[in-house]
Amino acid sequence: MIILKKIAALCILSTFAIGGITAQTITSKSPHSDAHKQLLANQAKSKDQIRLVEKNTFIDLIDDLEPEPDIYTEGWNSKAVNPFKESEVPDTKVIDVTGYFMPVPGQVTSNYGYRRRFGRMHKGIDLAIRSNDTIYAAFDGKCRLTAYERKGYGNYIILRHPNGLETVYGHLNKALVKPDQVVRAGDPIGLGGSTGRSTGPHLHFETRFMGYAINPSAIFDFANQTTHTDTYTFDKKTYTKARNFAPAGTTLAKAEKENPYRAAASQKDTYTVRKGDTLSSIAKSYGLSATTLRKINEMSNSDVIKVGQVLRLK
């Protein structure tokens, strides 16, 4: 006990000096130094990983995500999101798509299509936005549902339109409309964001006919901010296909010469790189991500494509 008391007294005296308190001097022990070095090493690795991610495009980050759980097949009964019966859906239907308004002016960051990695479809198209950008109604109609889906769409809105379509707007920061509210094409309906399963701000946009998720690129020409034609013919056999049309007054051959990789629904197995091509532009034109195209061709992130190079598309 006497020895312990002396040790305690020495500890107290070490923190005080005549006339006041002085700071203790702590000498780092080797375990602490080793841990500190390891922490710095880990930080360096993290910075390298961040730089690597920054080299990848946003479309790669989005496409590598698991597609959102389909709100049209999950939880329908509780909210009656899908009131349509298969027996009521016609094999074909001509739909008037005049009077449209582009939901956002941003470019496509992720296409509609099957995600082999996850074994299911990405049933909409993702469009680039900044956080809190205004989202607009694509057609006249009425808000049928606003809801939140934590593992997928985040905050989303479903609008029903007189032409028979329904449009879905996902990952919103905020809805500006309420169920049963009537809207006009171009009316603000929400603020874009990154809620739900999302790596960054973008709009997940779907076009539906009686529950069928139509490829939005079959209706809209997002590059030119317009619709392909005044009508869209829904067909149960082709509704997943995109449409691409040559400008008025040009032949298909001329259009392909000017933009040879534009046909996203093409069945081509390979593509020959031409001047001005980028891996991302080629991938997007064929409904793929740059990451997927690299994997198909066994390319690393540092590989550069060259004019005349033949790329596999499947």
Side-chain angles (χ1 to χ4, degrees):
M1 286 296 292
I2 295 173
I3 293 173
L4 291 175
K5 288 181 179 179
K6 286 182 178 181
I7 292 173
L10 287 172
C11 290
I12 294 171
L13 288 173
S14 67
T15 60
F16 291 86
I18 297 174
I21 298 175
T22 61
Q24 285 181 294
T25 301
I26 300 175
T27 302
S28 297
K29 302 297 182 183
S30 57
H32 176 79
S33 298
D34 292 341
H36 186 63
K37 289 177 182 178
Q38 185 62 42
L39 176 60
L40 292 176
N42 290 339
Q43 289 176 343
K45 290 180 182 177
S46 295
K47 289 179 181 178
D48 289 340
Q49 290 172 349
I50 290 170
R51 293 191 188 100
L52 180 61
V53 169
E54 288 175 344
K55 289 181 181 178
N56 292 320
T57 61
F58 185 68
I59 183 173
D60 293 337
L61 295 175
I62 292 297
D63 276 349
D64 280 344
L65 286 177
E66 184 178 359
E68 293 88 349
D70 190 356
I71 56 172
Y72 271 71
T73 57
E74 297 185 14
W76 281 119
N77 293 334
S78 62
K79 295 183 179 178
V81 178
N82 188 3
F84 305 109
K85 295 180 180 179
E86 176 60 29
S87 60
E88 299 173 345
V89 183
D91 289 334
T92 62
K93 173 70 174 179
V94 177
I95 299 170
D96 183 354
V97 292
T98 57
Y100 71 92
F101 194 94
M102 300 304 290
V104 294
Q107 66 180 2
V108 175
T109 59
S110 181
N111 285 292
Y112 172 105
Y114 182 72
R115 297 294 185 263
R116 185 181 303 172
R117 177 180 175 185
F118 303 107
R120 59 178 172 177
M121 290 283 290
H122 180 229
K123 295 188 176 181
I125 201 162
D126 292 343
L127 301 168
I129 60 166
R130 295 168 300 181
S131 185
N132 289 319
D133 273 358
T134 303
I135 310 301
Y136 302 96
F139 300 100
D140 292 350
K142 180 183 288 189
C143 177
R144 188 160 67 79
L145 179 69
T146 62
Y148 178 74
E149 212 290 312
R150 182 175 62 86
K151 295 182 178 180
Y153 291 72
N155 293 312
Y156 68 91
I157 295 170
I158 297 179
L159 301 182
R160 177 172 290 183
H161 309 288
N163 61 6
L165 291 177
E166 289 196 328
T167 50
V168 182
Y169 310 77
H171 302 304
L172 306 178
N173 274 344
K174 183 179 181 180
L176 301 179
V177 292
K178 297 179 180 180
D180 296 324
Q181 181 176 333
V182 174
V183 297
R184 297 293 183 186
D187 280 353
I189 59 170
L191 301 179
S194 186
T195 58
R197 181 185 287 120
S198 171
T199 60
H202 70 282
L203 174 67
H204 175 82
F205 177 63
E206 295 184 11
T207 48
R208 298 264 183 168
F209 176 69
M210 300 191 76
Y212 277 71
I214 298 167
N215 187 335
S217 292
I219 299 173
F220 293 97
D221 178 352
F222 291 98
N224 295 302
Q225 300 288 290
T226 185
T227 54
H228 292 298
T229 51
D230 288 341
T231 61
Y232 165 73
T233 301
F234 166 80
D235 189 314
K236 285 183 178 180
K237 296 179 180 179
T238 62
Y239 71 94
T240 63
K241 303 293 183 182
R243 289 195 299 172
N244 288 289
F245 293 97
T250 65
T251 64
L252 180 60
K254 182 179 179 181
E256 288 182 345
K257 185 177 181 180
E258 294 171 351
N259 192 358
Y261 51 83
R262 192 174 180 190
S266 172
Q267 298 302 312
K268 292 174 65 176
D269 293 327
T270 62
Y271 174 77
T272 302
V273 178
R274 301 193 180 192
K275 185 177 180 180
D277 286 342
T278 65
L279 198 70
S280 293
S281 66
I282 297 170
K284 185 164 63 174
S285 296
Y286 287 95
L288 303 170
S289 71
T291 297
T292 300
L293 192 55
R294 287 192 194 98
K295 290 178 181 177
I296 293 173
N297 290 276
E298 299 180 349
M299 298 170 62
S300 69
N301 289 338
S302 60
D303 288 340
V304 178
I305 59 174
K306 299 178 181 179
V307 174
Q309 180 178 350
V310 178
L311 297 176
R312 297 192 303 275
L313 300 174
K314 299 179 180 179

